[in-house]
Amino acid sequence: MDKHITTPIDTSKVIALKAGDYVYLTGRIYTARDAAHKRMFEALQQKEELPFDIINQVIYYLGPTPARDGQVIGSAGPTTSSRMDKYTPSLLNLGLKGMIGKGKRNDDVIDSMKKNKAVYFAAIGGAGALLSKCIKSSKVIAYEDLGTEAIRELWVENLPVIVVIDSEGNNFYESQMNFTS
Amino acid sequence: MRIVHTDAITKAIKEMCIEANLYLTEDVKNRLKKASHMESSDLGKKILGQLEENLEIAQKDLIPICQDTGMAVVFISIGQEVHLEGNYLEDAINDGIRQGYEEGYLRKSVVSDPLLRENTKDNTPGIIHYSIIPGENVEITVAPKGFGSENMSRVVMLKPSDGEEGIKKAVLETIKLAGPNACPPMVIGIGIGGTFEKCALLAKKALTRNLEESSKEEHIKRLEQELLEEINQTGIGPGGLGGKTTALGVNIETYPTHIAGLPLAINVCCHVNRHVKRIL
């Protein structure tokens, strides 16, 4: 089912999303991938604040290519989510509601998603040029020294994503494979 | 004897890094188009259509096909009648990579130490494979490799008695483990034989071979075809979201091996299977 959703997303929006929904996201989201997750995780261990208010926010696992003159951002597709699994439950416990990436998640993440009512979206891997067209603004807000891995605040319009794991733990990857094979 | 200046090698590699990240080869594009017509899943068809559109945007607006512009893998074969003048060759190659990734607005994805993980900020060093060939040419292939799929690759040291059946089992297991992580539809490079490191190199080389050119060995050609069919029956599909287009092609390279061994390497690549070849 096609749905249009604006971010940030609270629990009521999250629980309405079901595995397999094709969603167009509009609004503010944040980028963070391996190195930024590690740094956020370490900040939490040191009892420090995260660089942005994470409640009801969506994180896009993305490290873009540099923008050419006149472009908002370079190529901007998802990276593999499982590398963030180690750090994700801590962020979900703090109020993170959505993640955009690609590929499988581990049981700890799925359990935490069910407990905290969060949703995991997949964007199309390898379609970075196409997806960059949905990003209308981009600003580095933290960890600039990490280059492509810095945290960026993006404004997206109709970013196409698919609900792969919903807040009840239903997994679209698994159901589709069982259905088609 | 022919003199080749290393500046020409630097320039070629710079241009090839940029070209590889913006334009796919015709064989991959053709396979993608064909798959798009054949796919029975509606969502799968939609995704394949988006991947084709992505290629058009990349070409038109000079935006890399994928944000993971890879670690630059360079195969360089130098004719033994060639005399190189200029810089130390390895520096000349890395200079080309550095310039290409900077001037081409490509992502710098290399860290200097695998544990300390500090970005080198210029995408060097590359992974360089040298060989000496007869004649006066310098042949260069640049194949930027993304790590979403590289991470799902494996080397398996099979036993001779495992045979063809063991190879198929290990390949299919690898593909199923890779699933949506490797951005299907994938391209699979397989190396069989040699030693532990040789089969991995064969698998990487297999990815740079035109998908329309099957192996010249009849039994290997059959294995390529059968594996492609079986991989496409897993149901993983485009984006891992179901369908029959899980792989666009399977290329196998082989080499003699030891009486006790059957080394197998499976190098997984996504549809952004980048490689550019030039002869200087």
Side-chain angles (χ1 to χ4, degrees):
Chain A
M1 190 179 167
D2 284 11
K3 291 181 177 170
H4 287 79
I5 299 288
T6 54
T7 61
I9 49 176
D10 59 14
T11 301
S12 67
K13 280 185 188 171
V14 168
I15 57 177
L17 293 169
K18 301 295 173 199
D21 284 349
Y22 198 95
V23 177
Y24 294 93
L25 280 179
T26 295
R28 190 179 62 228
I29 61 173
Y30 295 90
T31 72
R33 49 170 294 153
D34 306 58
H37 271 79
K38 182 167 185 280
R39 224 179 252 190
M40 287 196 285
F41 188 74
E42 287 165 357
L44 292 175
Q45 283 179 325
Q46 303 292 319
K47 312 275 179 221
E48 291 165 11
E49 297 240 314
L50 293 179
F52 62 99
D53 181 2
I54 201 165
I55 293 171
N56 294 344
Q57 300 303 337
V58 175
I59 290 181
Y60 186 8
Y61 301 141
L62 161 68
T65 61
R68 286 176 185 272
D69 289 344
Q71 289 175 348
V72 169
I73 200 166
S75 195
T79 194
T80 310
S81 309
S82 55
R83 295 193 312 274
M84 268 52 80
D85 283 355
K86 180 181 169 185
Y87 309 116
T88 299
S90 315
L91 300 180
L92 291 169
N93 286 339
L94 289 173
L96 175 70
K97 283 293 177 191
M99 299 152 285
I100 308 169
K102 64 169 165 96
K104 303 167 192 176
R105 306 308 303 257
N106 71 14
D107 289 343
D108 288 348
V109 171
I110 298 171
D111 288 346
S112 181
M113 285 173 60
K114 282 155 67 175
K115 188 183 84 179
N116 291 298
K117 296 293 163 206
V119 61
Y120 170 52
F121 303 101
I124 305 307
L130 178 77
L131 293 168
S132 76
K133 299 292 179 185
C134 305
I135 298 170
K136 303 302 175 186
S137 76
S138 168
K139 185 174 70 176
V140 172
I141 58 154
Y143 311 153
E144 192 161 13
D145 60 299
L146 295 179
T148 185
E149 296 203 72
I151 295 183
R152 288 171 173 78
E153 187 184 285
L154 306 181
W155 184 270
V156 298
E157 282 177 19
N158 293 317
L159 183 75
V161 293
I162 292 144
V163 178
V164 170
I165 304 172
D166 64 25
S167 58
E168 290 170 48
N170 299 306
N171 190 322
F172 192 58
Y173 284 141
E174 283 172 11
S175 60
Q176 282 301 94
M177 256 192 85
N178 296 337
F179 175 69
T180 46
S181 61
Chain B
M1 192 180 76
R2 177 181 166 223
I3 293 172
V4 174
H5 200 281
T6 55
D7 285 354
I9 293 173
T10 299
K11 181 169 177 282
I13 286 175
K14 175 186 91 170
E15 291 167 358
M16 291 161 86
C17 286
I18 298 171
E19 185 186 334
N21 275 296
L22 292 175
Y23 315 100
L24 285 189
T25 47
E26 288 302 316
D27 54 332
V28 179
K29 283 199 272 187
N30 289 341
R31 290 280 172 115
L32 202 55
K33 185 169 282 181
K34 204 166 123 194
S36 186
H37 288 300
M38 304 280 284
E39 180 57 59
S40 50
S41 146
D42 287 341
L43 181 56
K45 223 180 171 63
K46 183 171 179 168
I47 291 167
L48 292 171
Q50 288 171 332
L51 294 180
E52 286 189 281
E53 194 186 340
N54 183 64
L55 294 179
E56 287 167 23
I57 294 171
Q59 192 170 335
K60 184 167 69 71
D61 294 345
L62 306 180
I63 302 171
I65 300 162
C66 177
Q67 76 289 337
D68 185 354
T69 51
M71 197 162 185
V73 177
V74 177
F75 291 96
I76 182 159
S77 304
I78 299 163
Q80 64 181 17
E81 307 300 327
V82 171
H83 174 72
L84 293 175
E85 266 187 17
N87 291 339
Y88 172 48
L89 182 59
E90 190 168 316
D91 291 342
I93 293 169
N94 280 319
D95 281 347
I97 294 169
R98 184 177 294 113
Q99 291 169 18
Y101 275 72
E102 190 54 44
E103 291 177 32
Y105 293 85
L106 306 178
R107 195 177 80 181
K108 288 76 182 172
S109 312
V110 175
V111 293
S112 57
D113 178 290
L115 292 178
L116 302 177
R117 308 198 72 80
E118 194 178 333
N119 198 304
T120 62
K121 296 192 161 69
D122 62 6
N123 220 54
T124 67
I127 305 294
I128 308 168
H129 302 292
Y130 301 96
S131 57
I132 303 295
I133 52 171
E136 293 196 325
N137 289 341
V138 175
E139 298 181 9
I140 307 171
T141 297
V142 173
K145 186 66 174 74
F147 259 57
S149 54
E150 192 74 353
N151 279 338
M152 307 317 289
S153 304
R154 296 202 303 175
V155 171
V156 192
M157 301 304 280
L158 295 172
K159 293 190 279 293
S161 62
D162 291 328
E164 204 178 295
E165 203 178 317
I167 290 171
K168 282 189 173 179
K169 196 172 155 227
V171 172
L172 284 164
E173 191 181 82
T174 303
I175 302 305
K176 284 178 191 166
L177 282 171
N181 293 29
C183 294
M186 313 174 204
V187 176
I188 311 299
I190 296 174
I192 308 173
T195 50
F196 179 77
E197 84 285 9
K198 179 70 178 179
C199 69
L201 188 55
L202 290 171
K204 182 71 75 194
K205 267 199 175 146
L207 286 174
T208 67
R209 202 178 81 208
N210 189 318
L211 291 177
E212 306 297 345
E213 286 169 18
S214 304
S215 171
K216 290 181 179 64
E217 303 288 335
E218 211 42 53
H219 65 297
I220 300 298
K221 180 179 171 179
R222 180 179 48 77
L223 189 56
E224 288 174 342
Q225 287 165 350
E226 288 175 7
L227 273 171
L228 181 60
E229 276 170 36
E230 288 176 36
I231 289 168
N232 284 333
Q233 280 162 14
T234 58
I236 295 167
L241 297 163
K244 57 185 186 187
T245 316
T246 300
L248 298 175
V250 175
N251 280 353
I252 302 177
E253 293 287 325
T254 62
Y255 196 80
T257 190
H258 188 277
I259 48 173
L262 179 55
L264 168 70
I266 305 129
N267 199 179
V268 180
C269 192
C270 59
H271 80 283
V272 191
N273 180 27
R274 296 164 286 212
H275 51 91
V276 175
K277 186 176 178 178
R278 273 197 205 176
I279 298 174
L280 301 183

